[in-house]
Amino acid sequence: MSDLFNDQDLLAISNDISDFALLSGGILNQYFKTPGISSKDLDVKFKDKNRSDPVTLADTESQNALKEAIFSKYPNHNIVGEEDEKNDSDITNHVWVIDPLDGTRNFLNGLPIYASSIGLLSDGVPVAGALYIPWPNSEGYLVISAVKGIGITINNNSYIAPIQSEFNASGIVTLPGSFDRRFKFSKDFRDNSGELRMGGSIAYELALLVLGVSQYAVISSSHIWDVAGAIPILFEAGYEIRTIPAKKRINSWIPFESFSHLSDKPKYENYRTRINPILVSPKDQIDYIANNIKIKKPSLLELMKSFVK
């Protein structure tokens, strides 16, 4: 990582990133559809012809506020947001990657399973992250944040994640809805793989790992902004992350340490690409789980397409 942050920098980032998440979450709360109470007009638009990818005023106002707050503290850094327009320019090595509202469909329908995700990368290495999620506590939310080497805070209180050392076959796990199309369990693991939940928000599901609610997660297809806020927190919590590098024709999970493709391609649009699948699990369980979840072999047509590229 070039231009490493010193201890003073990291401490400032730790304080700031929690404030950024709280700012974003406060804006989302103003728009959330509370049962029996009218909410602000969300002015829903769609980013695709199939009307499957909505964007609302909550997304855009939250992102604009985050950008203003981040630039006021870190004017020499860059920001990549989900709601940005295409940009072909170069980018610096310190980049804030933000998803102002992950789980927009849930949010639109009044389901309080969503997140605001903020991550700081340096040459593709996750340095700091924060997640805002609604939660049934006295504040009505959790701001979970972490900085590399400093640890985790929740609502500004130090936090140690309750990591289980042994796999619990009846514990909650989160998998993508498309799991069966891309992955398969080993025969012996299939009936003992955990109680499945699908939240509709990748960042929220990853927060559940940190909170000890679920014990492993598979993310099939996401953008960097879906996971950048959670990854530093997961590392500090004691989780291991693995991925499958598709271009290398490897059909097994290997350790994930950084978004390595960003270090030698400092272009804005490289931060907006989809990433390879990831598996997140406690370190003591990762080998067992990784050995029992495999990528399905591609069809002949898929193989032919990959050679053409």
Side-chain angles (χ1 to χ4, degrees):
M1 193 189 326
S2 65
D3 298 330
L4 281 170
F5 297 104
N6 60 39
D7 290 344
Q8 188 173 356
D9 293 333
L10 293 175
L11 185 59
I13 290 168
S14 178
N15 294 327
D16 290 338
I17 200 167
S18 293
D19 290 342
F20 297 154
L22 187 57
L23 169 67
S24 178
I27 294 171
L28 298 183
N29 282 343
Q30 295 175 24
Y31 284 97
F32 185 69
K33 179 181 178 180
T34 303
I37 301 175
S38 61
S39 59
K40 287 188 177 182
D41 181 8
L42 283 167
D43 189 24
V44 182
K45 296 180 174 63
F46 292 88
K47 293 182 276 187
D48 62 329
K49 293 181 180 179
N50 295 327
R51 298 173 65 84
S52 62
D53 192 4
V55 61
T56 71
L57 276 176
D59 297 77
T60 55
E61 285 194 13
S62 177
Q63 176 163 302
N64 291 339
L66 281 173
K67 282 190 167 185
E68 182 178 352
I70 293 170
F71 276 137
S72 71
K73 292 290 186 75
Y74 304 94
N76 297 321
H77 292 187
N78 279 112
I79 302 174
V80 175
E82 181 182 6
E83 309 310 330
D84 288 345
E85 299 294 333
K86 185 175 180 179
N87 187 332
D88 293 324
S89 63
D90 293 337
I91 203 164
T92 64
N93 58 308
H94 297 327
V95 182
W96 296 79
V97 184
I98 58 177
D99 187 348
L101 174 52
D102 182 51
T104 302
R105 184 71 70 177
N106 287 353
F107 188 90
L108 275 173
N109 288 281
L111 179 62
I113 298 178
Y114 59 87
S116 187
S117 173
I118 306 161
L120 173 60
L121 309 179
S122 183
D123 285 338
V125 177
V127 173
L131 303 172
Y132 173 99
I133 63 171
W135 199 257
N137 58 354
S138 58
E139 293 95 341
Y141 64 84
L142 297 177
V143 172
I144 311 169
S145 65
V147 172
K148 190 175 183 179
I150 292 182
I152 302 171
T153 64
I154 295 184
N155 292 1
N156 293 319
N157 296 312
S158 297
Y159 174 78
I160 297 176
I163 302 292
Q164 295 183 12
S165 59
E166 296 183 1
F167 179 72
N168 177 8
S170 62
I172 290 175
V173 303
T174 59
L175 304 174
S178 60
F179 181 86
D180 287 338
R181 293 201 299 269
R182 195 169 189 184
F183 305 92
K184 62 179 180 180
F185 289 132
S186 67
K187 183 178 179 181
D188 293 336
F189 190 65
R190 187 181 302 120
D191 295 329
N192 298 287
S193 56
E195 289 289 324
L196 173 62
R197 301 291 185 272
M198 288 180 283
S201 165
I202 290 172
Y204 190 100
E205 290 176 356
L206 294 176
L208 293 180
L209 287 167
V210 179
L211 298 172
V213 175
S214 60
Q215 60 178 343
Y216 74 86
V218 175
I219 308 300
S220 177
S221 179
S222 73
H223 290 88
I224 295 173
W225 54 68
D226 295 314
V227 299
I231 286 176
I233 305 171
L234 291 164
F235 280 147
E236 289 297 300
Y239 284 88
E240 184 169 333
I241 302 173
R242 295 193 181 179
T243 187
I244 295 180
K247 290 185 178 180
K248 295 183 179 180
R249 307 286 189 266
I250 297 174
N251 191 26
S252 59
W253 300 98
I254 64 171
F256 170 92
E257 296 178 351
S258 70
F259 300 104
S260 57
H261 70 287
L262 300 178
S263 61
D264 58 352
K265 295 180 179 179
K267 290 286 187 180
Y268 181 94
E269 283 303 310
N270 289 317
Y271 284 78
R272 295 181 58 80
T273 57
R274 288 192 176 273
I275 62 173
N276 295 325
I278 62 172
L279 167 66
V280 188
S281 162
K283 291 179 180 179
D284 292 341
Q285 302 173 25
I286 190 71
D287 287 331
Y288 172 70
I289 296 172
N291 289 335
N292 282 289
I293 300 177
K294 299 296 184 182
I295 293 279
K296 288 183 176 179
K297 291 182 180 180
S299 66
L300 179 60
L301 179 60
E302 290 171 330
L303 283 173
M304 291 174 66
K305 287 181 178 179
S306 69
F307 284 116
V308 171
K309 291 181 179 180

